[in-house]
Amino acid sequence: MRNMERYSGKRVLVVGMARSGVAAARLLNKAGAKVVINDNKTAEQLGEALAPLAGLDIETRLGCPAGECLDGIDAMVISPGIPDTAAFVVQAKDAGVYVTGELEMAHQLSSGEMTAITGTNGKTTTVTLLGEIFRNAGRTTHVVGNIGYPYSAAGYDSADADMFVCEVSSFQMETAETFHPRCAAFTNLTEDHLNRHGTMENYALTKMRMFARMTEDDVAVFNADDPALTPYIPMVKARVMLFSRKAEVESGAFVRDGMIVTRFRGVEREVCPSKDVFIPGPHNLENALAAACMATACGVGAEVIAQTLRTFRGVEHRIEFVRELEGVRYINDSKGTNVDSTIKAVQTMDRPTAIILGGYDKHSDFTPMVKEMLASPYIREAVLIGVTADQIERQCRENGFTRLHRAGTLQDAVEQCRSLSAEGWNVLLSPACASFDMFPDYEARGHIFKEIVNALA
């Protein structure tokens, strides 16, 4: 365990007892910190969530605001859902309290080699795929971060030889200080989280903090097909690799005559035909190229990469086939939490489709998605739910997509889609919005969608 002296003997307040907060408290306790846990919910409301902390010498301050728990605190660890501009965070900093996030704290205390991936879309698929490549190469591998498995949980017993693959969100980078991957990738950049970051530039620069401590001995991977990333590539000090499904690149991964090729340090290797990539869609070919880049930079052979690309079946909640009923295929893309992600799902459809849209408002412009729906020969009907339903309907009608229906619940939306579709159709949940208006997170939304679909008679 590294950097124990930063926390050993210090009173450390951990705010938020979701998965990452509980894991952070446990790791800090192991590092010798005097841990204080806080959540607005009471112990009774949190229930089994606190079970991993049973028997540990931890002080509890539950059922009260974090701002009431700052007396005598040396450091504070916050979850990604808490902005660094929150009143109690500012109050703590003004009082001289060291404030950091769970991801940064875990990196300070964990052993192992770090790879990391950020981007608006493709992160979860790419980190999961890369983790599978490393495992197939014989490495003890932990896939952590924004994917839902806390870095702190994996870091508790990590060893120097372990490999970490970390999905990094812009929220987690707000508190980055020492976070330093050996190899890191930026998959793409489109509008998202403007309700938190304000502008696209702030959003992008926050993500770029992931590369800030990398050196010329490290490798930074970027999507050459995304012009939005071009201005940011010169900011990195690391060796740059690019991936492209449209053109050859000097160093990185690309497709030539239908074959995935990697090129690194002057050595070129053929991996496998691009048609062999099991997960469908052009966006997943990009994800495969990004993972091939990173695996190559970390010394994995082309045969292992090829084997994994041929067998990897994707991740839950991302264009996930649920069932076929009466000739209609039901597809769960609850991870479509922004416009660009839903555009990619729309582009993957190859049958007439009824799509479920709407959710929590992240101040997005849905016009690009509507234009993609109009351009697609397959998006025939749209059922709208959630707080953004009015905005999506308005922007749909302004652009000429009028086959619209409203639903009050996800159950109602699925039943309407079933009525609207016929044999040979798809029903696609890809909301283009976060879930927080109706569900705890996109995973809960996806699980409920699958329960509803599997219960259809």
Side-chain angles (χ1 to χ4, degrees):
M1 182 179 282
R2 302 176 297 203
N3 299 314
M4 285 181 61
E5 65 281 357
R6 184 185 287 265
Y7 298 103
S8 182
K10 305 288 178 62
R11 280 176 56 80
V12 183
L13 176 66
V14 181
V15 182
M17 286 295 103
R19 281 174 290 192
S20 64
V22 170
R26 190 165 172 264
L27 181 60
L28 285 162
N29 177 264
K30 183 180 181 180
K34 298 174 182 176
V35 180
V36 182
I37 60 171
N38 166 258
D39 196 287
N40 285 330
K41 294 180 180 178
T42 65
E44 291 73 23
Q45 289 171 322
L46 290 165
E48 284 301 306
L50 298 178
L53 304 181
L56 300 182
D57 183 16
I58 289 176
E59 181 183 339
T60 59
R61 296 291 301 277
L62 303 173
C64 64
E68 296 179 3
C69 307
L70 296 176
D71 286 349
I73 295 298
D74 300 302
M76 181 167 69
V77 177
I78 57 176
S79 72
I82 299 169
D84 60 0
T85 55
F88 75 88
V89 175
V90 174
Q91 179 186 350
K93 290 180 178 178
D94 288 346
V97 174
Y98 171 70
V99 178
T100 192
E102 180 270 335
L103 188 83
E104 169 64 24
M105 181 276 298
H107 184 68
Q108 293 168 3
L109 292 176
S110 303
S111 303
E113 184 178 341
M114 169 57 64
T115 61
I117 297 168
T118 196
T120 307
N121 296 302
K123 299 188 295 296
T124 299
T125 298
T126 308
V127 297
T128 310
L129 172 57
L130 183 60
E132 198 67 15
I133 292 172
F134 285 139
R135 290 189 186 104
N136 289 340
R139 296 291 299 269
T140 299
T141 304
H142 311 279
V143 178
V144 301
N146 194 57
I147 194 168
Y149 182 52
Y151 191 173
S152 296
Y156 189 85
D157 290 316
S158 61
D160 288 343
D162 290 3
M163 175 66 79
F164 283 85
V165 185
C166 187
E167 178 179 327
V168 175
S169 73
S170 57
F171 294 0
Q172 290 168 318
M173 283 296 97
E174 288 177 345
T175 52
E177 180 186 345
T178 67
F179 189 74
H180 182 173
R182 171 188 169 187
C183 181
F186 203 146
T187 58
N188 48 59
L189 179 65
T190 59
E191 183 181 287
D192 201 11
H193 299 303
L194 297 192
N195 58 324
R196 177 137 161 184
H197 297 298
T199 67
M200 276 295 290
E201 183 180 19
N202 287 342
Y203 173 52
L205 290 173
T206 304
K207 283 185 169 293
M208 285 298 296
R209 288 171 62 93
M210 187 177 75
F211 301 93
R213 282 149 294 280
M214 295 177 75
T215 71
E216 60 272 9
D217 296 326
D218 304 314
V219 176
V221 175
F222 291 89
N223 185 350
D225 298 338
D226 186 353
L229 291 178
T230 304
Y232 300 100
I233 297 175
M235 293 182 180
V236 303
K237 296 176 183 176
R239 175 191 292 266
V240 172
M241 293 179 76
L242 302 175
F243 63 92
S244 173
R245 60 182 176 85
K246 298 178 181 178
E248 290 196 21
V249 296
E250 184 178 342
S251 177
F254 56 91
V255 180
R256 182 175 61 206
D257 299 327
M259 179 68 69
I260 292 176
V261 179
T262 62
R263 191 183 285 158
F264 183 57
R265 298 187 186 276
V267 178
E268 185 174 297
R269 293 186 174 89
E270 291 189 343
V271 178
C272 67
S274 58
K275 65 179 177 59
D276 285 4
V277 177
F278 186 87
I279 46 179
H283 64 292
N284 277 323
L285 176 55
E286 291 180 2
N287 296 335
L289 292 169
C293 258
M294 298 183 73
T296 300
C298 294
V300 180
E303 312 79 25
V304 174
I305 299 171
Q307 174 206 350
T308 313
L309 295 184
R310 290 186 174 111
T311 56
F312 178 71
R313 293 181 171 269
V315 298
E316 189 178 18
H317 310 301
R318 189 66 179 121
I319 316 181
E320 175 195 11
F321 172 70
V322 180
R323 74 180 290 202
E324 184 167 327
L325 177 65
E326 299 168 335
V328 177
R329 292 171 60 88
Y330 290 81
I331 299 167
N332 168 29
D333 190 48
S334 183
K335 205 170 190 315
T337 58
N338 57 61
V339 168
D340 191 62
S341 186
T342 293
I343 285 173
K344 288 176 167 57
V346 166
Q347 291 170 341
T348 305
M349 295 300 102
D350 57 2
R351 300 170 12 141
T353 298
I355 186 172
I356 300 171
L357 297 166
Y360 177 76
D361 186 6
K362 293 196 287 185
H363 300 178
S364 299
D365 177 8
F366 297 102
T367 303
M369 176 192 73
V370 177
K371 290 181 177 178
E372 192 67 37
M373 289 163 57
L374 286 163
S376 168
Y378 299 115
I379 305 300
R380 304 289 176 82
E381 308 285 346
V383 178
L384 312 181
I385 60 174
V387 299
T388 56
D390 288 343
Q391 182 188 350
I392 295 174
E393 177 168 1
R394 183 176 69 254
Q395 292 184 327
C396 279
R397 294 192 184 282
E398 286 171 352
N399 288 278
F401 189 98
T402 58
R403 299 183 301 278
L404 301 167
H405 314 268
R406 299 290 283 266
T409 64
L410 186 55
Q411 175 88 43
D412 182 17
V414 171
E415 291 172 355
Q416 286 196 47
C417 284
R418 184 182 186 184
S419 299
L420 292 164
S421 57
E423 184 177 353
W425 278 53
N426 294 328
V427 170
L428 170 66
L429 170 70
S430 188
C433 300
S435 58
F436 307 127
D437 58 332
M438 299 171 71
F439 306 95
D441 50 38
Y442 76 84
E443 293 167 309
R445 178 171 61 190
H447 286 307
I448 291 169
F449 174 76
K450 291 194 287 185
E451 288 172 6
I452 293 168
V453 168
N454 285 320
L456 292 175

